[in-house]
Amino acid sequence: MNTRTTDHGTLSPTSPGSGSGQLSAPYAEAVLALAGRDWLRLNVPGHAAASGSDLAGFFGSRITALDFPPLLDGIDLGRDTPLDRALALAAEAWGARRTWFLTNGASQGNQIASMVAPALGRTLVVQRSVHSSVIDGLVLSGMDAVFVQPSVDPAQGIAHGVTAADVAAALERTPDAAAVYIVSPSYFGAVADVRAIADAAHAAGVPLIVDEAWGSHFGFHPSLPEGALALGADMVTSSTHKLAGSLTQSAMLHVAEGPFADRLEPLVDRAFRLVQSTSASSLLTASLDLARRTLVVDTGATATSVAAADRVRKVVRALGRFTVVSDGFDAFPDIVAADPLRIAIDTRAGGITGHEARRLLFRDHQIMVEVATDAAIVAVIGAGFVPDTDRFLEALHTLPSPLTATGTEQAAMLRLPAPGAAKLTAREAFLSPTRVLPAEQAVGRISADTLAAYPPGIPNVLPGEVITAEVVHFLQQTATAPNGHVRGALDLGVTRLRVVD
């Protein structure tokens, strides 16, 4: 089949869903048409799309005019609505059996997935470095969890993914497993072997759930990795706003066709209604519809984005001051590909920490990057967008080099402490009476909080786990290191901990 050019760009058969209906954005178009009529709005939202409001003056009257509440005839109320059609097109585009639009980010999708898992078994087999929303989901669901440790790059202090062999081993010791839950890609763009992990999960009779928050653009161009649904995942959370271009806080949840679909779909639909706002934003929803159309239709723009990111990496390599983190991914057996739209740069090789590089780029050059660690910065280029890469490269290479030669040497091997024994489920610990103790007195007690040292960002203590002296020492050591941080700590030095009373 030949690709064909349209008024919106190039429609490529390599996209997961490339039917002619993908040229439309039915929900976004219906909202736009509704906003174009002369309404007297005596309903919510309270700004009533008044042209003289402070909101309209600040953001523009177009924004307030498009801000409609749910349950409107011809939009989302009734049969075969524009919203229904937009959801069907999204499912086709990502190759899903069914898709839900989320207006509380991928966190909402992870919580939904965790909430339905108890219908399939008692214990979730989970990658230890999952997003905090998955741990929140354990609190909501009350499930037990068996954790699979990801690989860790000791030089960079970052966590990657898990192998199919490690997942299979965890499943062998978990006879009451409900599902496997992994993250792919990672913050740094490392892509796991989703197909092999899906095979391992299915061989054990359980579905694979993938937090693909950072990979919503996968599968929409030959130069991008395949999406998790195409590789055998049964449920996928997609943070569409991250690199696929929808508005912040908008995301999608997909359920695949497969042996678990009949069981999962009605459960997900019911859980979705539990956690979805009854006042979902029409602006966020419309942005999801438009982002889907752009990804499917304008694959040429995505190719241009990939080329821009490739050029940045090529120039960084050629100039030699900094190095590209993904060039070392082949040393890790759990990584099978890298997201080309993620540009991870080792800054310490160039004599400056990632945190300082990020600060100076922001302050002196008005350049924002996505994330920084002590060793690196990560810049991202959204699919279909091309920033001024020359400006970034020039600013990057004019950064000072405050570190001495000793300061740029590879860090010592990062040894993560073994987590303490799990005595309660995350839910039981979260809902129990608690007290705050000095850290040294908390040793041997059960944690009521999640604590994760950054880098590498793997939760070291979860609600329900025993706090060990080794973990306390590691957390305090991290907290007092330059640019170290412990997420979830009650104070910067981790001198106090919340425990189950």
Side-chain angles (χ1 to χ4, degrees):
M1 182 164 92
N2 295 324
T3 59
R4 54 194 178 86
T5 301
T6 73
D7 291 341
H8 297 287
T10 302
L11 182 63
S12 169
T14 60
S15 301
S18 55
S20 60
Q22 295 289 337
L23 299 175
S24 68
Y27 180 85
E29 291 162 0
V31 169
L32 182 62
L34 196 69
R37 297 168 65 180
D38 183 18
W39 292 104
L40 173 61
R41 292 173 62 167
L42 303 177
N43 59 344
V44 296
H47 60 68
S51 58
S53 71
D54 200 27
L55 279 176
F58 194 86
F59 293 114
S61 59
R62 180 78 168 247
I63 296 293
T64 53
L66 291 166
D67 186 22
F68 288 107
L71 301 179
L72 292 176
D73 288 325
I75 303 294
D76 63 338
L77 189 62
R79 294 178 181 274
D80 191 29
T81 65
L83 178 59
D84 292 335
R85 295 195 292 275
L87 289 166
L89 287 170
E92 179 187 59
W94 270 270
R97 170 171 174 161
R98 186 169 173 187
T99 292
W100 290 260
F101 287 171
L102 310 176
T103 56
N104 197 29
S107 296
Q108 182 184 356
N110 284 332
Q111 291 164 3
I112 291 170
S114 299
M115 287 170 65
V116 304
L120 307 172
R122 177 61 200 161
T123 304
L124 205 57
V125 175
V126 190
Q127 181 175 326
R128 182 79 184 193
S129 52
V130 287
H131 190 262
S132 59
S133 57
V134 178
I135 306 304
D136 296 341
L138 291 175
V139 172
L140 291 171
S141 69
M143 295 190 76
D144 290 322
V146 167
F147 291 98
V148 184
Q149 292 290 344
S151 69
V152 174
D153 182 338
Q156 289 292 329
I158 57 176
H160 293 309
V162 295
T163 66
D166 286 342
V167 169
L171 286 167
E172 284 183 10
R173 61 178 187 270
T174 314
D176 58 351
V180 173
Y181 214 127
I182 68 164
V183 180
S184 180
S186 71
Y187 263 104
F188 279 69
V191 180
D193 191 347
V194 175
R195 188 178 298 281
I197 296 171
D199 289 344
H202 295 163
V206 300
L208 172 64
I209 305 170
V210 178
D211 179 353
E212 198 175 41
W214 284 99
S216 57
H217 55 299
F218 281 12
F220 286 94
H221 190 271
S223 59
L224 296 173
E226 283 193 87
L229 287 169
L231 296 171
D234 299 284
M235 193 185 314
V236 172
T237 299
S238 176
S239 193
T240 323
H241 72 90
K242 283 187 166 62
L243 271 81
S246 62
L247 290 175
T248 297
Q249 201 173 314
S250 60
M252 299 186 193
L253 180 63
H254 310 287
V255 167
E257 287 285 8
F260 305 98
D262 288 342
R263 185 78 176 112
L264 287 173
E265 182 183 343
L267 289 170
V268 169
D269 197 45
R270 291 168 64 195
F272 168 79
R273 296 178 195 284
L274 284 178
V275 298
Q276 173 73 337
S277 170
T278 56
S279 301
S281 167
S282 60
L283 294 168
L284 297 183
T285 304
S287 77
L288 289 168
D289 198 18
L290 292 167
R292 181 270 313 156
R293 182 175 72 179
T294 299
L295 272 179
V296 175
V297 171
D298 204 354
T299 56
T302 299
T304 305
S305 301
V306 173
D310 286 342
R311 177 179 174 275
V312 171
R313 284 185 288 269
K314 182 178 180 181
V315 171
V316 168
R317 295 182 188 110
L319 293 178
R321 177 181 171 187
F322 302 102
T323 58
V324 177
V325 174
S326 57
D327 289 347
F329 279 180
D330 56 0
F332 298 90
D334 54 280
I335 303 176
V336 297
D339 178 6
L341 295 183
R342 212 79 54 87
I343 306 167
I345 297 172
D346 184 338
T347 58
R348 286 191 308 185
I352 187 169
T353 69
H355 292 291
E356 182 67 1
R358 183 187 191 185
R359 186 183 72 84
L360 294 178
L361 288 170
F362 185 90
R363 188 194 71 183
D364 297 341
H365 302 276
Q366 291 74 57
I367 293 174
M368 299 182 188
V369 295
E370 176 57 35
V371 71
T373 67
D374 190 54
I377 57 172
V378 182
V380 299
I381 294 179
F385 302 91
V386 180
D388 186 346
T389 53
D390 286 338
R391 177 179 168 185
F392 171 63
L393 286 163
E394 181 180 356
L396 180 69
H397 287 86
T398 57
L399 291 174
S401 304
L403 296 181
T404 63
T406 300
T408 60
E409 290 175 358
Q410 179 171 311
M413 282 293 291
L414 180 67
R415 291 185 174 84
L416 296 175
K423 296 295 186 181
L424 300 173
T425 66
R427 180 181 178 86
E428 288 169 339
F430 184 88
L431 296 177
S432 294
T434 63
R435 66 164 61 182
V436 175
L437 295 176
E440 61 273 12
Q441 295 180 27
V443 172
R445 305 291 293 265
I446 298 172
S447 176
D449 290 332
T450 301
L451 301 171
Y454 282 77
I458 299 172
N460 306 104
V461 181
L462 295 176
E465 290 181 347
V466 173
I467 298 168
T468 67
E470 182 186 15
V471 165
V472 169
H473 176 70
F474 178 82
L475 293 174
Q476 292 180 338
Q477 203 172 35
T478 300
T480 56
N483 302 307
H485 171 66
V486 177
R487 186 181 184 277
L490 297 175
D491 58 78
L492 292 177
V494 197
T495 63
R496 299 175 301 132
L497 298 173
R498 182 181 287 111
V499 301
V500 173
D501 193 0

